[in-house]
Amino acid sequence: MIGVDIVDLTDPLLKPRSRREIRFISHPNDHCPKGTDEQTHYWLLWAAKEAIFKAERSNQAFSPSEIEVVYSETVGDRLRYRGRWLNEINGYSILKKDNIISVATNSNIAAVKWKTFMLNTSNQSQELRDCFQREMGPGYQVLSDAAGLPTIKHDGTTTPASVSHHHHLGIVAWIES
């Protein structure tokens, strides 16, 4: 399975976060890269926990403090992490000036593909699906499974997917076989 989250750091409604807020989402074993300020620390943890939660595809409620995230190394622009909630999950986050992208999977992380999009309408879910199909071509579709979770249909094959949107950014992730 796969999970993804995107945080638009330019969102004017994004509230400043402090150690107090970090405490509310932290698992006792959480570990962020050294040298991250409180804002970055909070949003790196949040994005990874969201991605891990989505990768589990569980019907349980999202409780960030129950999800463990341990950032371990940086490879290129990717901050790799190991996560644990219901199962062991591997992932990475990409920290950019204006956003954080986090991807998590319980399968081969190298097989994960993702695309980001600028969104401009109030119906961001539909706009994200439309942008993805335009970019990828008519052989790709973002659909939903029986539980309402996202899937990608490509040339007749359906695979689990993950979507996220925040402010003016959207992302679709899937595992390419």
Side-chain angles (χ1 to χ4, degrees), residues 51-72:
I52 292 166
F53 176 77
K54 291 175 183 178
E56 294 282 4
R57 291 177 93 84
S58 170
N59 61 0
Q60 293 186 33
F62 178 59
S63 180
S65 63
E66 293 178 11
I67 301 170
E68 175 184 322
V69 175
V70 178
Y71 281 92
S72 58

Side-chain angles (χ1 to χ4, degrees), residues 86-135:
L86 303 176
N87 299 289
E88 187 81 19
I89 301 273
N90 291 311
Y92 61 83
S93 293
I94 299 174
L95 174 61
K96 298 182 177 182
K97 178 182 174 233
D98 294 338
N99 62 69
I100 296 172
I101 295 168
S102 189
V103 177
T105 184
N106 59 0
S107 59
N108 180 4
I109 194 81
V112 173
K113 306 295 181 203
W114 51 269
K115 293 259 182 205
T116 58
F117 303 95
M118 289 295 297
L119 305 175
N120 299 304
T121 67
S122 59
N123 188 353
Q124 291 184 334
S125 294
Q126 186 59 50
E127 183 181 8
L128 186 56
R129 291 170 189 258
D130 294 344
C131 287
F132 180 78
Q133 190 163 358
R134 263 193 315 276
E135 170 108 2

Side-chain angles (χ1 to χ4, degrees), residues 75-88:
V75 178
D77 64 349
R78 296 175 183 204
L79 304 168
R80 292 191 179 179
Y81 63 82
R82 175 189 51 77
R84 176 170 280 292
W85 181 38
L86 303 176
N87 299 289
E88 187 81 19

Side-chain angles (χ1 to χ4, degrees), residues 156-175:
T157 303
T158 302
T159 59
S162 186
V163 298
S164 180
H165 49 80
H166 180 207
H167 193 47
H168 290 296
L169 293 175
I171 188 167
V172 177
W174 68 101
I175 297 176

